[in-house]
Amino acid sequence: MTEHLTTHDEPLDRVSAEWSGLLQQCGEQVPFVTPAWQQVWLRHFQGEKNLRILTLRDGERLVAVAPLLCNESAEFVGHHSICDYMDAIITPGFERAVLTALLGRLASDGVTHLDLRGLREDSPLLPALLEAAASAGYTATKEEEALSPNVELPATWDDYLGTLSKKDRHEMRRKMRRLDSAGDIQMRIITTAEEAAPLLDTLFHLMRISNHHKEEFLDRPGMQEFFRDMTVTMADAGMLRLYALYLDDVPVAMVHNLDVGGTLYMYNSGYDPAYSHYAVGLMSKALLVRDAIESGRTRVDFMRGDESYKYDLGGKDRHVYRVLLEKA
């Protein structure tokens, strides 16, 4: 099959529509490898790095896209502290052929080192990459990079509660009752750029006061500008679902999600510690899970990190890997 594939460098704008179509064919979609996300990340963080959108075609048919930053080394477009997952997009059944052709092209272009981070355990690229490396003259090393808890959603909220441990189920119900008794509770769901943009200052404030690591994240150069641009961009692409929990019209918790292919990817969140008695941080996420079930989503991905609340909500670990390739 490899001899029928041709490899090209193509401008992102020219291939983005086909790229989006390819994603529809490739199983579970990931927001960080959509053209919309890649474009906004590049606007803020590409700097002097050399962008290559390598495509593989079978005739005129697009079968794979590999968004890379390249010189003598190569890495995926993105950064593991901002993009929880990274990957190439490959038509099912073409993985080995694509990776053989792609690594051969990179080797002939003088790329001696690849550092591919953010690969989920179920990425079809992982086994194909390890198999194809040797034929292109690379040695490959795989290492675990992070844990990423997920919860698969059943048909009803009661079914979901039944998946929790007895202790977690009891705590969930107790905390729900306490929150319900606190006052006028509203969970607002924001999906448009016009609604979301004015709320970002509130989200940033809640992130800062709830966790010093989130404060450090926001204080990184260019991060707030990126976050604002990303939120508007993803909303315009139909991939934003921002939850805001209000108690007596006071915003006490917010959760920023990317909504793609039936999965909610929980990107960031914050809450007001003054309302910790009502567990508003955890409850905002529990209410999010309930809404996801009721609105027909099939999974909530809590993404990188092993924070205890993810397991309290029924999260099961999925592994994220890093693959290093060196020219032999």
Side-chain angles (χ1 to χ4, degrees), residues 29-30 34 36 43 56 102 131 137 140 162 198 206 211 216 236 245 251 265 271 307:
Q29 298 177 51
V30 178
T34 62
R43 280 199 293 272
L56 288 97
L102 179 64
E131 292 172 6
L206 293 171
N211 188 301
E216 292 172 357
D236 287 343
L245 178 64
Y265 294 85
Y271 69 93
E307 295 90 341

Side-chain angles (χ1 to χ4, degrees), residues 81 84-85 146-150 168 210-214 217 266-271 281-282 285 301-318:
S81 67
D84 288 56
Y85 310 127
L147 293 175
S148 181
N150 284 234
D168 288 338
S210 60
N211 188 301
H212 74 275
H213 294 299
K214 295 177 185 287
F217 174 80
M266 193 179 293
Y267 188 65
N268 225 312
S269 63
Y271 69 93
L282 179 65
K285 298 172 179 70
D301 189 330
F302 298 120
M303 300 210 285
R304 289 176 184 243
D306 58 358
E307 295 90 341
S308 60
Y309 78 82
K310 299 178 180 181
Y311 303 101
D312 294 341
L313 292 169
K316 306 297 182 187
D317 282 333
R318 292 206 293 184

Side-chain angles (χ1 to χ4, degrees), residues 161 163-175 282 308-314:
L161 291 176
T163 68
L164 302 180
S165 70
K166 183 177 179 180
K167 175 180 177 294
D168 288 338
R169 184 165 58 249
H170 171 76
E171 283 297 302
M172 177 73 70
R173 287 172 170 154
R174 184 179 67 83
K175 288 171 179 172
L282 179 65
S308 60
Y309 78 82
K310 299 178 180 181
Y311 303 101
D312 294 341
L313 292 169

Side-chain angles (χ1 to χ4, degrees), residues 12 15-16 18-24 26-39 41 53 65-67 76-78 83-90 117-120 123 125 234 239 258 260 265:
L12 193 158
V15 78
S16 61
E18 284 181 283
W19 178 344
S20 295
L22 184 61
L23 283 168
Q24 302 289 330
C26 294
E28 186 177 351
Q29 298 177 51
V30 178
F32 309 108
V33 297
T34 62
W37 177 279
Q38 298 257 311
Q39 286 169 325
W41 189 91
I53 305 298
V65 178
F76 286 127
V77 170
C83 313
D84 288 56
Y85 310 127
M86 292 175 278
D87 213 331
I89 306 95
I90 304 174
R117 304 187 68 155
L119 288 163
R120 299 179 308 162
S123 168
L125 184 142
M234 299 306 274
M239 289 188 278
L258 303 170
V260 184
Y265 294 85

Side-chain angles (χ1 to χ4, degrees), residues 36-145:
W37 177 279
Q38 298 257 311
Q39 286 169 325
V40 72
W41 189 91
L42 288 163
R43 280 199 293 272
H44 292 267
F45 298 118
Q46 179 180 353
E48 300 301 316
K49 297 176 181 176
N50 181 31
L51 173 66
R52 296 186 70 181
I53 305 298
L54 288 175
T55 62
L56 288 97
R57 294 182 179 273
D58 182 10
E60 294 187 359
R61 175 193 174 197
L62 181 70
V63 297
V65 178
L68 298 170
L69 301 169
C70 294
N71 41 52
E72 291 182 355
S73 63
E75 61 191 47
F76 286 127
V77 170
H79 189 274
H80 60 91
S81 67
I82 301 171
C83 313
D84 288 56
Y85 310 127
M86 292 175 278
D87 213 331
I89 306 95
I90 304 174
T91 300
F94 280 79
E95 292 88 0
R96 179 62 188 270
V98 162
L99 267 299
T100 298
L102 179 64
L103 291 178
R105 171 66 178 268
L106 291 171
S108 69
D109 291 346
V111 174
T112 59
H113 172 83
L114 288 88
D115 186 356
L116 303 178
R117 304 187 68 155
L119 288 163
R120 299 179 308 162
E121 64 180 37
D122 57 349
S123 168
L125 184 142
L126 259 179
L129 183 61
L130 298 172
E131 292 172 6
S135 63
Y138 291 96
T139 58
T141 306
K142 182 179 83 168
E143 59 186 48
E144 186 173 309
E145 184 173 71

Side-chain angles (χ1 to χ4, degrees), residues 99-287:
L99 267 299
T100 298
L102 179 64
L103 291 178
R105 171 66 178 268
L106 291 171
S108 69
D109 291 346
V111 174
T112 59
H113 172 83
L114 288 88
D115 186 356
L116 303 178
R117 304 187 68 155
L119 288 163
R120 299 179 308 162
E121 64 180 37
D122 57 349
S123 168
L125 184 142
L126 259 179
L129 183 61
L130 298 172
E131 292 172 6
S135 63
Y138 291 96
T139 58
T141 306
K142 182 179 83 168
E143 59 186 48
E144 186 173 309
E145 184 173 71
L147 293 175
S148 181
N150 284 234
V151 59
E152 294 189 22
L153 302 178
T156 70
W157 174 249
D158 284 341
D159 289 343
Y160 164 74
L161 291 176
T163 68
L164 302 180
S165 70
K166 183 177 179 180
K167 175 180 177 294
D168 288 338
R169 184 165 58 249
H170 171 76
E171 283 297 302
M172 177 73 70
R173 287 172 170 154
R174 184 179 67 83
K175 288 171 179 172
M176 282 285 191
R177 287 194 298 269
R178 178 180 290 175
L179 182 63
D180 286 341
S181 70
D184 179 24
I185 300 297
Q186 291 185 336
M187 178 66 104
R188 302 176 188 173
I189 303 170
I190 295 96
T191 59
T192 68
E194 292 75 16
E195 293 175 292
L199 292 175
L200 290 180
D201 284 337
T202 302
L203 173 61
F204 294 162
H205 171 69
L206 293 171
M207 288 170 63
R208 287 182 181 280
I209 63 176
S210 60
N211 188 301
H212 74 275
H213 294 299
K214 295 177 185 287
E215 183 174 24
E216 292 172 357
F217 174 80
L218 287 173
D219 286 341
R220 291 169 56 182
M223 187 55 65
Q224 290 189 44
E225 292 81 0
F226 163 75
F227 208 114
R228 293 180 193 279
D229 191 5
M230 175 269 292
T231 297
V232 169
T233 298
M234 299 306 274
D236 287 343
M239 289 188 278
L240 176 71
R241 200 165 181 87
L242 178 65
Y243 291 80
L245 178 64
Y246 287 78
L247 174 55
D248 295 331
D249 289 326
V250 177
V252 296
M254 296 181 73
V255 192
H256 186 292
N257 298 267
L258 303 170
D259 183 14
V260 184
T263 297
L264 286 185
Y265 294 85
M266 193 179 293
Y267 188 65
N268 225 312
S269 63
Y271 69 93
D272 189 339
Y275 294 85
S276 292
H277 176 68
Y278 299 110
V280 293
L282 179 65
M283 289 298 96
S284 63
K285 298 172 179 70
L287 292 170

